[in-house]
Amino acid sequence: MATLQDIGLAAAINILSAIIFLVLFAILRLQPMNDRVYFPKWYLKGLRDSPSRSGAFVRQFVNLDFRSYLRFLNWMPEALKMPELELIDHAGLDSAVYLRIYLLGLKIFVPITLLAWAILVPVNWTNNMLDGDNVIFSSIDKLSVSNIPQRSHRFWAHIIMAYIFTFWTCYVLRKEYETVASMRLHFLASVRRRPDQFTVLVRNVPPDPDESVSELVEHFFLVNHPDNYLIHQVVYNANKLAKLVKEKKSKQNWLDYYELKYSRNQSKRPVKKVHLCNVMSPINSISCVLYSMLPFSYSFGAMLLFLRSADAFHCLFFFYWQTGFLGLCGEKVDAIDFETSEIKRLSKEITEERERVIMDPKSIMPTAFVSFKSRWGAAVCAQTQQSRDPTAWVTEWAPEPRDVYWQNLAIPYVQLTIKRLIIAVAFFFLTFFFMIPIAFVQSLANIEGIEKRFSFLKVIIEVPFIKSLIVGVLPGLALKLFLMFLPAILMLMSKFEGFISISSLERRSASRFYIFSFVNVFLGSIIAGTAFEQLNSFIKQSANQIPKTIGVAIPMKATFFITYIMVDGWAGIAGEILRLKPLIFYHLKNFFLVKTEKDREEAMDPGSLGFNTGEPQIQLYFLLGLVYAVVTPLLLPFILVFFGFAYLVFRHQIINVYNQEYESGAAFWPDVHGRVITALVISQVLLMGLIGTKEAAQSAPFLIALPILTIAFHRFCKGRYEPAFIRYPLQEAMMKDTLEHAREPNLNLKGYLQNAYIHPVFKACNEDEDEDEDGEFNKNWGEESILVPTKRQSRRNTPVPSKVSANSSPPSSLPDVVEEHTQP
């Protein structure tokens, strides 16, 4: 059981860690050689030049202006200066609204904290209930509701405050929902033209023995959307081609490394050991890490593949076939010549695979991106059912091109349900088995309860400093470490399920992370911690007394969550701004790989917000704050520090560092609102259960109305504001189309949309071809959607070949096309 001394030691360690991280950041960000690490966003926008290009040699790497070190904290007010409208223009609406989640936490919990400490803390403290109970407690627990006697009239104070906190939270949520919905509509109305505004994704195109997918799609939309259909792009299964391109890039990294190494020491050409039967070269991130560990390898610079490559498959095969066994056996070859030959081999394979994908009908998936002449036409198609069979011709808004996760577009639509069922089962077992490390963490947090059962540890544990360190720091740190790899696992699950955009992948992962945190981090910690903490009471009491012991012990778990908040929300956020990993990787890349300014730009790793990890973390703090606001108000100041500090840090990172991968227009806000509502209902239900264990029969029924009112409020907000996040109003679409036509009457929309949704791997391949080959490929690719005369009797009246696809100026309507084709 953590005491004030334990909490104080934990606070001191975490505050000291945070201060060290902040001081290191303040110093490192002033050094010219680190400028691209701490301000990459401005370089990507072309608004910042490297300070290390001119001046004395030392000044190119180290800041010798000592006056600047006196202003090392000026980044804090600078992070707050940029107005929100300018921030939206600079970083996008997603980033600006993400910051509003932290502001939402401050708006909710600042008044709640003041009221709870002014009213509930004195009510709880002026009792002596715990002194007479057979439970283990500390002086901190005397500030909680556990210190209120059975059947006390003081519970009315907690019930009244629960109503006040609920009404205040709902009021703030409604105002914020309204504000964000208005921001989204304004953003969609004012944002510059984007391909996704005119495009829908069509899935599960029904097979036809007489026509190709491309022909089928064009005929269907010419018939059913004659006035609005413009052009379409079928989806190819290019996953194998993408792997080859990725492998070639990895080989190019090796070649760059060896050439740079040779240019620095031309007395000896670099060599490497390879197996004689090297007939395959799988992609090799993990093998490169192993390779870089070997002291007899080429140097620490062998890490370069790990720095640029993300694929971790086939590493053992690669390590054997590519380098012999651990680089100790195999034939020595010239490294530069070997990598050059490998690149040539891969270039040939890429060309062959590209031609196969384009020519093989089996590579075409029953999926297409269909673009329209107007936003209004796209909105009508995306938000309506296209055929009698609701499972065929399924339409949805297309993600913006940056947001498309191309690998999953190759998954047949009929497999998605099966895949999601498999992942649901896998997630259940993952959540269930994670209770084992949670129980271990709680064993660290409840030393006193275990000492009675394992007395031989008492000598070591009773040393004051060691005890405070174990109870106050290790539980939160251990839980943080156990959760370190969870986001990657959940993201892999989301990818397996088949979501077709990065934003949907992150939102799905965030949803599962939140469920996992609630079940394991919150409920698991309470249940396991209560069992360890009150072990003696559990053994001696009768079965009907155990619920009472649990009810008393739940507020006592606030001490564990306080330690976790300090580790994760204080020191962890300070570590975020330091960017130690990107700093090390950038300098390794800069030394071993960079030869041109383009290489230096690629060496920067600005990163992104990581919605799948950041938002569930915030929601856990909302849950803890709302649950313990009435039960143990001592926890609230620690949460306030997190929200305030995290808002400052992430505002700085969004302005100077993060380069968001996509822009969804704050489509994630309904998820944020729903999870805060969920946390509020959970807090109300737990409070009812807790007061029920206190035998306060007269006051407990008054809490029943709270969850009912909260759910009714949620349904109101869902009906009033959520449509703005899932549908595009036709009025807004028509208004924007009218304004655009007035401003740009000669806009060639087809030319703008022609190549918007071509698989990036084809563009990457295209860059490697000469100019003539490029022209021919673009010609072939652009003509892929040109139809031949229809082969089906039922479609002989359909206009073919399509004037929409053949000309840059599409016809205004289907009748015009028919008339044009029937004229002699």
Side-chain angles (χ1 to χ4, degrees), residues 214 233-234 236 354-355 358-359 754-755 758 762 766 772-786:
S214 183
Q233 177 60 62
V234 294
Y236 289 79
R354 184 184 67 182
E355 295 298 327
I358 295 175
M359 303 304 297
Q754 178 78 43
N755 299 323
I758 288 179
F762 290 102
N766 217 17
D772 292 337
E773 291 174 340
D774 267 355
E776 184 65 23
F777 175 70
N778 279 333
K779 180 181 177 183
N780 293 338
W781 187 263
E783 292 176 352
E784 189 65 27
S785 60
I786 297 178

Side-chain angles (χ1 to χ4, degrees), residues 608-797:
S608 59
L609 278 173
F611 181 81
N612 59 312
T613 57
E615 196 269 344
Q617 178 197 40
I618 305 172
Q619 293 297 338
L620 178 62
Y621 292 113
F622 275 107
L623 175 64
L624 295 176
L626 292 172
V627 167
Y628 283 98
V630 178
V631 174
T632 310
L634 177 66
L635 181 138
L636 293 175
F638 295 89
I639 288 182
L640 284 182
V641 172
F642 161 75
F643 279 116
F645 184 42
Y647 174 75
L648 181 66
V649 167
F650 280 99
R651 206 173 203 276
H652 173 274
Q653 299 296 82
I654 286 172
I655 292 173
N656 299 299
V657 180
Y658 295 147
N659 186 40
Q660 200 63 11
E661 295 181 74
Y662 58 85
E663 177 59 60
S664 69
F668 56 82
W669 189 259
D671 298 333
V672 175
H673 176 88
R675 286 169 196 151
V676 177
I677 290 292
T678 301
L680 192 58
V681 173
I682 290 170
S683 69
Q684 296 159 356
V685 172
L686 291 180
L687 182 60
M688 282 193 292
L690 179 60
I691 293 183
T693 63
K694 292 288 189 175
E695 300 179 8
Q698 294 180 347
S699 54
F702 287 91
L703 288 171
I704 296 176
L706 273 181
I708 298 174
L709 293 174
T710 304
I711 294 173
F713 165 78
H714 174 62
R715 291 180 63 85
F716 163 77
C717 290
K718 187 178 179 67
R720 174 64 178 84
Y721 303 113
E722 188 173 327
F725 295 86
I726 59 178
R727 292 192 289 270
Y728 190 33
L730 296 181
Q731 181 184 23
E732 295 287 334
M734 180 61 74
M735 186 183 304
K736 194 164 180 63
D737 288 334
T738 303
L739 290 174
E740 187 173 75
H741 291 160
R743 293 171 181 170
E744 302 178 74
N746 298 321
L747 173 66
N748 181 10
L749 188 59
K750 176 182 175 294
Y752 172 72
L753 298 171
Q754 178 78 43
N755 299 323
Y757 285 96
I758 288 179
H759 197 300
V761 73
F762 290 102
K763 297 178 182 178
C765 293
N766 217 17
E767 293 175 356
D768 296 334
E769 304 291 340
D770 59 20
E771 186 172 353
D772 292 337
E773 291 174 340
D774 267 355
E776 184 65 23
F777 175 70
N778 279 333
K779 180 181 177 183
N780 293 338
W781 187 263
E783 292 176 352
E784 189 65 27
S785 60
I786 297 178
L787 300 184
V788 297
T790 180
K791 303 181 182 68
R792 295 199 55 184
Q793 296 292 330
S794 60
R795 294 208 176 102
R796 283 183 176 175
N797 292 330

Side-chain angles (χ1 to χ4, degrees), residues 228 255 478 481 519 611 638 743:
N228 297 296
L255 181 60
L481 293 175
V519 174
F611 181 81
F638 295 89
R743 293 171 181 170

Side-chain angles (χ1 to χ4, degrees), residues 522-543:
F522 182 71
L523 290 182
S525 296
I526 289 177
I527 295 172
T530 301
F532 277 108
E533 190 171 288
Q534 309 301 335
L535 195 57
N536 189 47
S537 298
F538 269 71
I539 293 174
K540 293 184 178 180
Q541 287 181 348
S542 60

Side-chain angles (χ1 to χ4, degrees), residues 421-681:
L421 178 61
I422 293 173
I423 290 301
V425 175
F427 178 69
F428 170 80
F429 283 105
L430 174 66
T431 305
F432 177 78
F433 284 109
F434 205 84
M435 285 290 183
I436 298 173
I438 291 293
F440 169 74
V441 169
Q442 290 305 316
S443 70
L444 296 177
N446 301 284
I447 298 297
E448 292 87 347
I450 296 180
E451 280 183 347
K452 296 181 179 180
R453 315 301 301 176
F454 305 99
S455 57
F456 61 91
L457 296 174
K458 190 172 183 178
V459 177
I460 300 175
I461 293 176
E462 283 302 317
V463 177
F465 178 79
I466 294 178
K467 180 180 178 181
S468 297
L469 183 66
I470 292 176
V471 176
V473 178
L474 286 187
L477 183 60
L479 182 57
K480 178 72 174 176
L481 293 175
F482 279 127
L483 295 175
M484 184 179 299
F485 300 102
L486 180 63
I489 296 173
L490 296 179
M491 180 58 74
L492 287 175
M493 287 183 170
S494 299
K495 290 178 179 178
F496 181 82
E497 286 184 285
F499 291 96
I500 51 88
S501 66
I502 300 173
S503 58
S504 59
L505 287 172
E506 291 194 345
R507 290 173 62 186
R508 183 67 163 185
S509 298
S511 176
R512 287 223 164 92
F513 201 164
Y514 177 74
I515 295 172
F516 186 93
S517 299
F518 170 70
V519 174
N520 280 299
V521 179
F522 182 71
L523 290 182
S525 296
I526 289 177
I527 295 172
T530 301
F532 277 108
E533 190 171 288
Q534 309 301 335
L535 195 57
N536 189 47
S537 298
F538 269 71
I539 293 174
K540 293 184 178 180
Q541 287 181 348
S542 60
N544 60 355
Q545 292 295 315
I546 291 179
K548 174 184 174 182
T549 304
I550 295 178
V552 173
I554 284 177
M556 299 180 185
K557 293 311 300 173
T559 55
F560 165 74
F561 290 120
I562 287 173
T563 63
Y564 177 74
I565 291 170
M566 288 187 291
V567 171
D568 182 64
W570 294 10
I573 295 298
E576 169 69 25
I577 201 172
L578 182 59
R579 287 177 56 79
L580 187 59
K581 178 182 173 182
L583 177 68
I584 295 173
F585 279 15
Y586 169 76
H587 286 298
L588 287 174
K589 293 176 183 178
N590 194 38
F591 185 78
F592 291 110
L593 293 174
V594 170
K595 293 186 291 186
T596 65
E597 280 299 314
K598 183 179 179 181
D599 293 336
R600 185 169 287 106
E601 183 174 303
E602 290 180 355
M604 294 188 302
D605 181 21
S608 59
L609 278 173
F611 181 81
N612 59 312
T613 57
E615 196 269 344
Q617 178 197 40
I618 305 172
Q619 293 297 338
L620 178 62
Y621 292 113
F622 275 107
L623 175 64
L624 295 176
L626 292 172
V627 167
Y628 283 98
V630 178
V631 174
T632 310
L634 177 66
L635 181 138
L636 293 175
F638 295 89
I639 288 182
L640 284 182
V641 172
F642 161 75
F643 279 116
F645 184 42
Y647 174 75
L648 181 66
V649 167
F650 280 99
R651 206 173 203 276
H652 173 274
Q653 299 296 82
I654 286 172
I655 292 173
N656 299 299
V657 180
Y658 295 147
N659 186 40
Q660 200 63 11
E661 295 181 74
Y662 58 85
E663 177 59 60
S664 69
F668 56 82
W669 189 259
D671 298 333
V672 175
H673 176 88
R675 286 169 196 151
V676 177
I677 290 292
T678 301
L680 192 58
V681 173

